[in-house]
């Protein structure tokens, strides 16, 4: 009886495998069909977007970033570089980085005077801030990104 059952189950295995593969092909073709409904950009549209970008931006090799040229406005709803830096500086005035715990500690009394710090101290705190935070264009704010801890 066991021998007969084993022969039947071996015969079912290729059928099940075939059905599984057929369903995956059907799913992938359905996915391709939905992707095809979204009209892809034409080569001419891509070239036009590139040309518009190059008209309004210049590459700064010193900072390795694209900068908006003078006379061009940033897209609507985007904060300027000065506003982003002002928010960073405000955060640095109201918080102090503790390297022992690798966390930012809010200052309870009043914001500190950053001009009282040495250039090296300001540079180090700014470096720590950029390491632990990232600008989110969607939210329009600095978001905390926890630094990767060394695995032991």
């Amino acid at each position: 009886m066991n021998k007969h059952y084993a022969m039947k189950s071996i015969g079912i295995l290729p059928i099940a495998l075939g059905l599984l593969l057929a369903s995956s092909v059907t799913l992938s073709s359905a996915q391709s069909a939905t992707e095809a409904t979204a009209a892809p950009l034409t080569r001419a549209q891509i070239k036009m977007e590139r040309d518009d970008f190059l008209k309004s931006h210049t590459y700064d090799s010193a900072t390795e970033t694209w900068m908006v040229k003078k006379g061009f406005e940033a897209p609507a709803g985007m904060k300027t570089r000065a506003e982003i830096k002002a928010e960073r500086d405000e955060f640095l005035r109201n918080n102090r980085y503790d390297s022992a715990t690798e966390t930012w500690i809010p200052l309870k009394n009043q914001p500190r005077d950053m001009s009282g710090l040495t250039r090296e101290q300001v540079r180090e705190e700014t470096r720590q801030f950029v390491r632990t935070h990232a600008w989110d264009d969607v939210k329009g704010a600095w978001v905390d990104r926890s630094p990767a801890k060394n695995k032991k």
Side-chain angles (χ1 to χ4, degrees), residues 21-32:
L21 290 174
S23 65
S24 67
V25 169
T26 304
L27 287 175
S28 67
S29 64
Q31 188 176 25
S32 299

Side-chain angles (χ1 to χ4, degrees), residues 4-69:
H4 183 44
Y5 177 73
M7 294 302 284
K8 280 187 175 182
S9 63
I10 290 175
I12 294 174
L13 186 62
I15 294 171
L17 185 59
L19 289 173
L20 179 65
L21 290 174
S23 65
S24 67
V25 169
T26 304
L27 287 175
S28 67
S29 64
Q31 188 176 25
S32 299
T34 55
E35 289 173 2
T37 58
L41 294 176
T42 65
R43 188 175 181 95
Q45 288 172 321
I46 293 170
K47 284 182 178 181
M48 190 169 54
E49 284 184 9
R50 179 204 58 202
D51 292 341
D52 288 343
F53 180 81
L54 291 174
K55 286 178 190 174
S56 63
H57 289 76
T58 184
Y59 186 73
D60 182 11
S61 58
T63 59
E64 297 182 354
T65 58
W66 286 94
M67 306 292 288
V68 178
K69 290 180 180 177

Side-chain angles (χ1 to χ4, degrees), residues 52-124:
D52 288 343
F53 180 81
L54 291 174
K55 286 178 190 174
S56 63
H57 289 76
T58 184
Y59 186 73
D60 182 11
S61 58
T63 59
E64 297 182 354
T65 58
W66 286 94
M67 306 292 288
V68 178
K69 290 180 180 177
K70 290 183 184 347
F72 287 92
E73 293 293 322
M78 299 292 289
K79 291 190 178 183
T80 65
R81 184 177 292 272
E83 291 173 323
I84 293 170
K85 285 184 176 181
E87 287 186 26
R88 178 198 64 198
D89 293 342
E90 183 67 24
F91 180 88
L92 290 173
R93 270 193 296 282
N94 293 314
N95 297 280
R96 182 180 54 83
Y97 188 75
D98 183 19
S99 50
T101 60
E102 295 185 358
T103 58
W104 289 95
I105 299 172
L107 300 173
K108 294 180 181 168
N109 298 336
Q110 63 181 2
R112 62 185 167 167
D113 182 20
M114 295 298 285
S115 63
L117 300 176
T118 66
R119 283 183 159 232
E120 187 55 39
Q121 289 172 321
V122 172
R123 195 174 294 129
E124 178 61 24

